Amino acid sequence: MERNAFFDNAKVILIFLVVFGHMIQPFTGDSPYIHTLYMWIYTFHMPAFILLAGYFAKGSGSFSYIVQLMKKLLLPYLIFQLLYTGYYYVIDKSGWQTDLFSPHWALWFLFSLFCWHMLLYWFKKLPPFLSVSIAIFLGLVVGYFSEIGHMFSLSRTFVFFPFFLVGYLLTEKQVMLVKQKAVQAVSLVVMVCIAVAIYYLPDFNSGWLLASKSYGDLGLVEYGGLARLLVYVSAAFMVISVLSWVPVQHFTWTILGTRTLYVYLLHGFFIQYFRQAELFKVDGVFDFLGLAALSMLLVLVLSSRPILGIWQPLVEGKASIMKKMYHKTVQEK
């Protein structure tokens, strides 16, 4: 069966926003507009990415499936955890020392993704409404425990799990309901209202969207659960709104949606260097557009076949791309 281009198009757009969001983060304190855009992107880009990851999850609980997941997710996590530790030391980044179970920067996603697959073993056995309700409840409750935080990516694992679970439960037909004209019309209102709300609430802590801190750390112990519930609702509306505008046509760049893991794992080497060296500044719209163009270039380069060939042994534990390139070169000679 031909792969639905909608999903790959969505993944390309979302990985661009991941890179772009990381690119503009150092400048959020300099401009209320950049701050608004950054926070606006963070309301939906990871929830949407996680929902799509859940959609493609097989949900098997067999031993062989778990072993494959360990090779696919935990092994690259360990490899890149070590690589980033060494890289941070080379560029003299503060906080470069960490243990294997405190994920560097964006590597939390791999650790949490493995945990989400494991959680499916139990949650898929429950009625959908009950399983999602329990997942949301756990996401709300963990915020009251300061012990549950960055270590093992536990906080993010529980907070973002509802999106993964919903993605797993959705059918393709249900997902494509977002393409209705009525949904697209309402989505414009939703996206604008969220942006306006963020602009006029500049003190809104980004930690609510990053999901790695407790309510105490975020300064809202008593009503933290209610605040996170509002974040859940906002994120759900934003995910639906943004996905409603993802094209369904197949483009030349659609195939990049199958390579987003490479972009996710590798773009940090560039972003962290840019930040440490303070290479860029934003003094106007052209500087801003330049960062957007550079983000797009990073996505294109890091998802190119040569880069995939070089990094495939570390990311996927195999070298099929390099072998094909080698055999093709030999045949041409």
Side-chain angles (χ1 to χ4, degrees):
M1 182 180 293
E2 185 178 355
R3 187 172 170 123
N4 190 333
F6 167 83
F7 295 101
D8 286 329
N9 290 339
K11 290 172 71 176
V12 175
I13 293 170
L14 291 171
I15 197 62
F16 163 75
L17 291 174
V18 168
V19 177
F20 184 53
H22 288 152
M23 189 74 77
I24 65 175
Q25 189 275 332
F27 313 105
T28 54
D30 302 329
S31 166
Y33 302 107
I34 295 180
H35 174 269
T36 298
L37 177 61
Y38 173 80
M39 297 288 282
W40 184 83
I41 290 173
Y42 269 70
T43 60
F44 69 86
H45 77 329
M46 286 313 298
F49 227 128
I50 293 164
L51 183 137
L52 293 178
Y55 176 81
F56 287 106
K58 293 183 177 64
S60 172
S62 66
F63 178 76
S64 60
Y65 180 74
I66 295 174
V67 171
Q68 284 300 112
L69 278 178
M70 292 176 68
K71 291 180 180 178
K72 182 180 179 181
L73 300 174
L74 293 188
L75 186 57
Y77 167 80
L78 294 174
I79 291 171
F80 278 86
Q81 183 78 344
L82 293 173
L83 286 176
Y84 271 103
T85 297
Y87 182 69
Y88 287 172
Y89 173 77
V90 171
I91 65 174
D92 197 28
K93 177 180 170 62
S94 60
W96 65 271
Q97 290 177 307
T98 187
D99 58 67
L100 287 176
F101 305 109
S102 294
H104 274 307
W105 200 44
L107 296 182
W108 68 269
F109 180 73
L110 290 180
F111 205 99
S112 290
L113 187 54
F114 176 80
C115 295
W116 294 327
H117 279 274
M118 295 298 97
L119 288 171
L120 275 184
Y121 178 79
W122 292 280
F123 278 82
K124 69 180 182 179
K125 298 179 180 181
L126 301 173
F129 181 79
L130 178 60
S131 63
V132 173
S133 298
I134 294 175
I136 292 174
F137 175 75
L138 290 175
L140 297 177
V141 168
V142 295
Y144 289 104
F145 298 90
S146 59
E147 298 83 1
I148 301 177
H150 189 64
M151 182 71 73
F152 293 105
S153 188
L154 276 180
S155 180
R156 283 169 167 159
T157 296
F158 285 111
V159 173
F160 285 125
F161 179 59
F163 296 101
F164 185 85
L165 181 59
V166 169
Y168 171 76
L169 295 171
L170 287 174
T171 64
E172 181 175 332
K173 184 177 180 180
Q174 290 171 330
V175 173
M176 297 311 294
L177 290 175
V178 302
K179 299 304 297 179
Q180 296 180 80
K181 296 295 183 182
V183 177
Q184 290 182 327
V186 174
S187 72
L188 295 176
V189 177
V190 171
M191 290 188 288
V192 170
C193 288
I194 294 293
V196 171
I198 293 172
Y199 181 82
Y200 286 102
L201 291 172
D203 294 331
F204 180 65
N205 194 315
S206 61
W208 289 103
L209 305 177
L210 298 175
S212 60
K213 296 182 179 180
S214 68
Y215 301 146
D217 292 333
L218 294 170
L220 199 62
V221 178
E222 294 182 4
Y223 299 103
L226 178 60
R228 176 158 288 165
L229 184 60
L230 292 175
V231 171
Y232 271 147
V233 173
S234 300
F237 277 110
M238 282 295 291
V239 169
I240 294 171
S241 298
V242 172
L243 291 182
S244 72
W245 289 98
V246 172
V248 297
Q249 299 89 346
H250 192 282
F251 303 99
T252 55
W253 49 266
T254 299
I255 192 174
L256 303 184
T258 65
R259 307 171 183 176
T260 53
L261 181 59
Y262 285 82
V263 181
Y264 190 85
L265 291 175
L266 298 175
H267 81 283
F269 292 111
F270 294 89
I271 299 295
Q272 294 296 346
Y273 175 74
F274 295 157
R275 292 183 182 180
Q276 197 69 7
E278 299 182 348
L279 289 183
F280 305 113
K281 60 179 180 179
V282 179
D283 290 331
V285 66
F286 289 108
D287 293 333
F288 177 79
L289 294 176
L291 292 180
L294 181 57
S295 300
M296 189 175 298
L297 180 62
L298 279 176
V299 172
L300 293 174
V301 171
L302 296 180
S303 57
S304 64
R305 290 287 290 179
I307 295 298
L308 265 62
I310 294 170
W311 286 92
Q312 189 187 34
L314 295 181
V315 176
E316 299 183 51
K318 56 184 180 181
S320 59
I321 297 176
M322 290 293 287
K323 289 179 181 178
K324 287 180 181 179
M325 294 173 66
Y326 172 75
H327 290 309
K328 184 178 180 181
T329 302
V330 172
Q331 289 174 355
E332 289 177 350
K333 289 182 178 180

